[in-house]
Amino acid sequence: MQHSKIAGIGYYVPKNVYTNTDLSRFMETSDEWIQERTGIKERRFADRLGETTTTMGIEAAKVAIARAGITAQDVDFIIFATLSPDYYFPGCGVLLQREMKMKEIGALDIRNQCSGFVYALSVADQFIKTGMYKNILVVGSEKHSFAMDFETRSRNVSVIFGDGAGAVVLQPTQKEGQGILSTHLHSDGADAEILAMFYPGSHANKWMPEKPGYPAQELGGLFMTTEQLESGAALPYMDGPAVFKKAVVKFPEVIKEALAKNNLEAKDIDLLVPHQANLRISQYVQQLLGLRDDQVFNNIQKYGNTTAASVPIALCEAWEAGKIKEGDLVCLAAFGSGFTWASALLRW
Ligand code: COA
């Protein structure tokens, strides 16, 4: 059976740099606190009016398409992963199709938050393996800055996230042992409300537990009262310590699952590119797996957590820096809201 390989890769980050000290002008926080807890030094924020999740995705896609040696008209399927779409609906895939003047191909949006890109890659891999498509564009893009609150009440969330986009073109390869070796997808909805944004939604308060910190609301919906807006009900909610505890268990678990499936061990990994959730999580995972510093790539220091965009941005930066060579074993892993988590093992 044919496999799929990454034939082209690109990324785009906005020009506007916001350091930790910049954020401390809006809220009670400090460079020291943010670096110590997360490793983040700065992040990029999109231009408020000129850039959207789709336009950033397009910039990354252009690079990936050119590097794959094809044109936008050769793309035969789009998969777009994001939690911060331009519109509540339709999704970003069709907007990208329109703006890039692609043919009337299928466009699928994936809403799996931090693991969205690895999920998208897995879906694309299945379509290539069956021979259904030959040039699939997979994009992960986020414009978090538009929905973030820069007041002290939201500081545990807003200091972590940044904007950006990454993209790959997946193509078939007949070369045995090259390309995507396997992908592994998981979820556990038991803690769905631990990292979530409840509005707009139809939840009618059904699932929201009565816990301190949760925005107490009568009803979900698309339209909010002024009181609801002012109470911060439309803002993302995160129980950071609970996310941390789960992430450090599930990251190593899903990486080990991918290695076992391919009869490989952690020492065989040339480069692990983990979702950039928090530098402390990556370091913990590295330690648990017994990996050297040169076996793990992190760039959260520069970009913060860019959710669905973090894995393709990091993968592309690592590749551009010459840290990935032909024949290398590359492991991608992600964990995030849902909870959902996933891994992919690739022979470059
Ligand atoms: N600046 C200064 N103080 C802050 C702060 C900030 N940006 N954010 C929170 N604090 C304060 C809290 O108010 C709390 O103060 P208190 O003790 O007076 O109540 C204190 O710092 C500790 O808060 P806590 O939430 O327990 O901190 P933490 O050590 O768990 O670090 C995170 C918070 C968010 C950095 C950490 O939990 C984390 O990274 N979790 C994983 C999140 C993640 O990866 N999310 C993405 C999912 S993929």
Side-chain angles (χ1 to χ4, degrees):
M1 193 202 283
Q2 66 186 1
H3 298 275
S4 51
K5 63 162 192 201
I6 292 179
I9 182 163
Y11 79 98
Y12 172 82
V13 287
K15 287 184 190 61
N16 305 329
V17 177
Y18 279 73
T19 63
N20 295 339
T21 307
D22 289 333
L23 296 190
S24 70
R25 296 195 185 102
F26 311 119
M27 63 184 92
E28 284 172 36
T29 189
S30 65
D31 180 44
E32 193 191 3
W33 193 97
I34 301 172
Q35 283 210 50
E36 195 183 300
R37 308 287 175 117
T38 70
I40 299 166
K41 295 181 178 172
E42 57 189 42
R43 73 284 294 142
R44 304 293 178 97
F45 287 157
D47 183 57
R48 263 193 95 69
L49 300 175
E51 289 179 313
T52 72
T53 296
T54 302
T55 68
M56 291 189 287
I58 289 171
E59 292 309 314
K62 281 181 190 164
V63 180
I65 287 170
R67 284 177 172 161
I70 59 169
T71 69
Q73 285 66 44
D74 297 318
V75 171
D76 48 18
F77 196 63
I78 304 160
I79 308 183
F80 201 120
T82 187
L83 69 70
S84 51
D86 294 25
Y87 304 139
Y88 185 62
F89 71 84
C92 293
V94 297
L95 304 180
L96 179 142
Q97 180 274 339
R98 177 181 71 191
E99 296 307 310
M100 296 194 80
K101 300 183 173 43
M102 290 175 171
K103 290 183 288 196
E104 292 179 354
I105 53 173
L108 171 70
D109 274 52
I110 289 203
R111 293 191 52 180
N112 272 68
Q113 298 68 251
C114 298
S115 63
F117 181 80
V118 184
Y119 262 74
L121 201 67
S122 176
V123 173
D125 182 41
Q126 312 313 312
F127 279 131
I128 297 272
K129 275 183 185 154
T130 59
M132 188 154 169
Y133 298 120
K134 292 197 162 34
N135 289 300
I136 303 183
L137 175 67
V138 183
V139 180
S141 181
E142 303 286 1
K143 182 176 172 181
H144 287 305
S145 55
F146 86 100
M148 280 187 325
D149 174 38
F150 292 101
E151 289 183 34
T152 299
R153 64 180 178 181
S154 299
R155 63 184 177 177
N156 70 320
V157 174
S158 49
V159 300
I160 293 180
F161 295 95
D163 300 340
V168 300
V169 171
L170 229 58
Q171 288 178 348
T173 173
Q174 309 295 339
K175 214 168 147 187
E176 199 51 44
Q178 191 199 32
I180 296 180
L181 305 180
S182 63
T183 57
H184 307 269
L185 312 179
H186 294 280
S187 74
D188 177 4
D191 291 324
E193 287 78 15
I194 273 182
L195 176 50
M197 193 163 134
F198 303 104
Y199 282 84
S202 62
H203 54 75
N205 222 8
K206 186 167 164 53
W207 308 106
M208 286 163 66
E210 284 181 27
K211 266 197 201 174
Y214 278 84
Q217 298 303 323
E218 301 276 309
L219 289 169
L222 289 173
F223 305 102
M224 301 183 73
T225 62
T226 312
E227 290 77 30
Q228 285 173 326
L229 277 172
E230 282 172 0
S231 75
L235 300 171
Y237 173 79
M238 179 173 79
D239 178 346
V243 175
F244 198 105
K245 277 186 208 141
K246 193 86 172 182
V248 293
V249 173
K250 293 302 174 189
F251 260 112
E253 204 174 279
V254 78
I255 293 167
K256 283 182 185 164
E257 182 186 353
L259 290 167
K261 169 82 182 167
N262 294 282
N263 296 317
L264 293 162
E265 294 175 38
K267 67 175 172 49
D268 299 318
I269 296 175
D270 290 299
L271 199 66
L272 169 66
V273 181
H275 161 55
Q276 303 292 293
N278 179 324
L279 189 61
R280 306 294 161 239
I281 294 177
S282 293
Q283 288 168 336
Y284 203 82
V285 171
Q286 174 180 341
Q287 196 191 334
L288 278 172
L289 294 172
L291 299 173
R292 300 182 309 273
D293 285 352
D294 64 291
Q295 286 176 288
V296 185
F297 187 79
N298 289 303
N299 62 3
I300 191 169
Q301 301 90 331
K302 294 191 293 181
Y303 305 130
N305 178 343
T306 56
T307 312
S310 97
V311 169
I313 293 175
L315 185 64
C316 188
E317 269 206 338
W319 177 75
E320 287 181 359
K323 292 181 191 292
I324 303 174
K325 293 174 289 299
E326 200 174 332
D328 277 356
L329 186 70
V330 178
C331 184
L332 311 179
F335 174 89
S337 159
F339 292 124
T340 61
W341 59 102
S343 66
L345 208 54
L346 297 87
R347 183 70 69 184
W348 203 263

